[in-house]
């Protein structure tokens, strides 16, 4: 049979699709809190959606103000060429934030050691924030996840090694953990 395209197919312009103002697109970007990301890094992500990388960069700075100097994932919710920026907190970002360390200039300081201590209340507060992302069945499992994050970051919880607290919880001792 004949595979030659018909003239009408050749002429019909396929690009671009009609712009749908109700459509919502979500783009995730990794940024350093409170710093303007390079326009060149944002351009390939937001340019095709008809947004200005520079303007998005400014929005991201505002959205990440309180995460100064930390690497966080930001979520851009884009609709009708308007973008709302928000930070998607990760467990590690929340733990590092709870350490309340002074912000650092990431260009100067490398291989940062997080040697501080957070409280068990911090851990439970962070676990509540992360609960919906957690894979654990019970809230206690989410608390254990956050303690594991604290361990990998290298900080302490109430002045103890997080893993010791994990062991205590497994043994049915350790701090009181609410059900929710």
């Amino acid at each position: 049979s004949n595979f030659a395209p018909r003239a009408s197919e050749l002429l019909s312009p396929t690009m671009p699709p009609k712009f749908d103002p109700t459509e919502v697109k979500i783009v995730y970007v990794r940024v350093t809190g409170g710093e303007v990301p390079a326009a060149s890094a944002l351009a390939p992500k937001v340019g095709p959606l008809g947004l200005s990388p520079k303007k998005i960069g400014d929005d991201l700075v505002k959205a990440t103000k309180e995460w100064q100097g930390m690497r966080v994932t930001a979520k851009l919710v884009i609709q009708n060429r308007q973008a709302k920026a928000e930070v998607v907190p990760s467990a590690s970002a929340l733990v590092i934030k709870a350490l309340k360390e002074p912000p650092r200039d990431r260009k100067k300081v490398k291989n940062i050691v997080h040697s501080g201590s957070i409280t068990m209340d911090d851990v439970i507060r962070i676990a509540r924030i992360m609960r919906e992302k957690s894979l654990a069945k019970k809230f206690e499992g989410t608390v254990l996840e956050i303690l594991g994050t604290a361990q990998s970051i290298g900080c302490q919880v109430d002045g103890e090694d997080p893993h010791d607290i994990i062991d205590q919880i497994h043994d049915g001792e350790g701090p009181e953990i609410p059900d929710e």
Side-chain angles (χ1 to χ4, degrees):
S1 67
N2 176 5
F3 283 119
R6 299 201 301 280
S8 62
E9 287 174 14
L10 289 173
L11 294 172
S12 74
T14 46
M15 290 294 297
K18 283 213 257 333
F19 180 68
D20 175 2
T22 60
E23 187 186 8
V24 175
K25 288 212 169 64
I26 293 183
V27 179
Y28 290 96
V29 283
R30 286 282 289 171
V31 293
T32 300
E35 293 183 18
V36 185
S40 56
L42 291 174
K45 298 206 163 175
V46 302
L49 306 173
L51 295 157
S52 134
K54 186 163 172 1
K55 163 128 182 29
I56 299 287
D58 295 344
D59 292 348
L60 285 168
V61 170
K62 284 197 201 78
T64 60
K65 259 276 167 299
E66 52 187 277
W67 302 86
Q68 190 70 40
M70 288 171 45
R71 295 287 288 164
V72 289
T73 304
K75 170 171 150 184
L76 294 169
V77 181
I78 298 160
Q79 185 177 14
N80 196 6
R81 298 221 169 97
Q82 296 294 308
K84 285 203 284 294
E86 54 187 83
V87 173
V88 187
S90 66
S92 55
L94 287 163
V95 170
I96 293 173
K97 192 166 168 221
L99 285 167
K100 298 192 177 49
E101 298 173 351
R104 308 180 210 231
D105 183 345
R106 72 190 170 91
K107 295 186 182 62
K108 299 199 190 86
V109 188
K110 291 283 179 266
N111 305 336
I112 291 162
V113 179
H114 298 287
S115 53
S117 180
I118 61 176
T119 66
M120 195 62 201
D121 291 341
D122 283 328
V123 172
I124 287 169
R125 181 180 55 78
I126 293 167
R128 288 202 177 106
I129 299 174
M130 298 304 292
R131 181 70 184 116
E132 62 226 54
K133 276 211 223 155
S134 163
L135 300 172
K137 285 200 184 68
K138 301 211 310 262
F139 182 65
E140 178 183 286
T142 308
V143 170
L144 288 167
E145 288 177 351
I146 306 303
L147 286 167
T149 302
Q151 185 187 354
S152 68
I153 288 172
C155 69
Q156 295 182 312
V157 174
D158 287 333
E160 288 188 72
D161 184 309
H163 206 90
D164 295 344
I165 299 181
I166 292 175
D167 289 341
Q168 290 165 22
I169 293 171
H170 283 319
D171 296 342
E173 298 150 24
E176 197 55 44
I177 296 176
D179 293 333
E180 269 311 311

